[in-house]
């Protein structure tokens, strides 16, 4: 296993399971150790390995993440991290839980992808990537405020029923 590959990504037991909730993808999986790049950039993520053929569109998404019965809003990246691995990296779902501090390694979480914000992009520099990540987080915050205003809430307090 190379340093850019999550340690458990090759283990089929650690591959996240994808379900559909109201037509939107919901992913259930155990948080694995990655290469710590998100943490180094100021955006620690809860990495889930994705199986090939999951039919989730690569990109950055606004998401709800359920840790037990607690719901968190997240900016979630789906893809192979082209800035670092030229498309050859392990395909991951990497949610950055807004306003969350804690250790999720080894925990099972549910990630409900709600709205795709943009496609995956390759950035020429780390400062450009970090700037875009700040924009993505602000976009997710605006999405969450709008969702709350239109429906009075974002999503059920409990994880969605998975199919």
């Amino acid at each position: 296993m190379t340093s850019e590959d999550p340690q458990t990504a090759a283990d089929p037991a650690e591959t996240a399971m994808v379900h559909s909730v109201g037509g939107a993808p919901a992913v259930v999986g155990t948080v694995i150790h990655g290469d710590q790049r998100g943490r180094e950039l100021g955006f620690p993520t809860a990495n889930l390995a994705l199986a090939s053929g999951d039919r989730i569109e690569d990109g950055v998404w606004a998401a709800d993440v359920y840790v037990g019965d607690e719901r968190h809003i997240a900016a979630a990246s789906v893809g192979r991290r082209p800035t670092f691995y030229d498309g050859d990296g392990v395909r991951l779902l990497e949610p950055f839980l807004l306003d969350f501090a804690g250790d999720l390694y080894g925990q099972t979480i549910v990630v409900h992808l709600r709205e795709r914000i943009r496609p995956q992009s390759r950035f020429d520099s780390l400062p450009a990537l970090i700037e875009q990540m700040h924009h993505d987080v602000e976009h997710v915050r605006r999405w969450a405020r709008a969702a709350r205003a239109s429906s009075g809430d974002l999503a059920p307090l409990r994880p969605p029923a998975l199919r």
Side-chain angles (χ1 to χ4, degrees):
M1 188 73 42
T2 64
S3 62
E4 67 262 18
D5 294 334
Q7 294 173 353
T8 56
D11 181 353
E14 295 300 328
T15 302
M17 295 180 57
V18 178
H19 302 271
S20 177
V21 178
V27 180
V28 180
T30 302
V31 177
I32 60 173
H33 289 272
D35 55 18
Q36 306 296 311
R37 201 163 318 264
R39 182 178 316 283
E40 292 169 5
L41 298 175
F43 298 88
T45 59
N47 301 323
L48 301 178
L50 294 173
S52 59
D54 59 41
R55 299 193 325 242
I56 297 174
E57 190 172 5
D58 284 2
V60 177
W61 294 73
D64 292 316
V65 176
Y66 296 88
V67 180
D69 285 340
E70 291 184 33
R71 181 186 63 213
H72 303 274
I73 303 305
S77 174
V78 175
R80 298 182 187 280
R81 300 148 298 151
T83 299
F84 302 104
Y85 304 115
D86 293 326
D88 295 331
V90 173
R91 192 156 180 271
L92 296 175
L93 168 57
E94 303 174 285
F96 167 64
L97 284 64
L98 280 57
D99 307 316
F100 177 83
D103 181 358
L104 296 175
Y105 292 121
Q107 292 191 46
T108 299
I109 63 173
V110 177
V111 182
H112 185 190
L113 300 172
R114 303 283 302 272
E115 179 179 298
R116 188 168 178 264
I117 295 171
R118 65 173 179 86
Q120 282 276 295
S121 301
R122 185 183 190 290
F123 294 88
D124 293 329
S125 69
L126 290 183
L129 172 60
I130 292 168
E131 181 179 347
Q132 182 60 55
M133 292 169 79
H134 282 290
H135 290 301
D136 294 340
V137 167
E138 284 310 310
H139 187 121
V140 169
R141 288 188 193 284
R142 285 192 306 276
W143 166 83
R145 283 192 299 272
R148 188 174 293 120
S150 68
S151 69
D153 198 3
L154 289 169
L157 290 177
R158 301 223 181 266
L162 304 175
R163 293 181 276 182

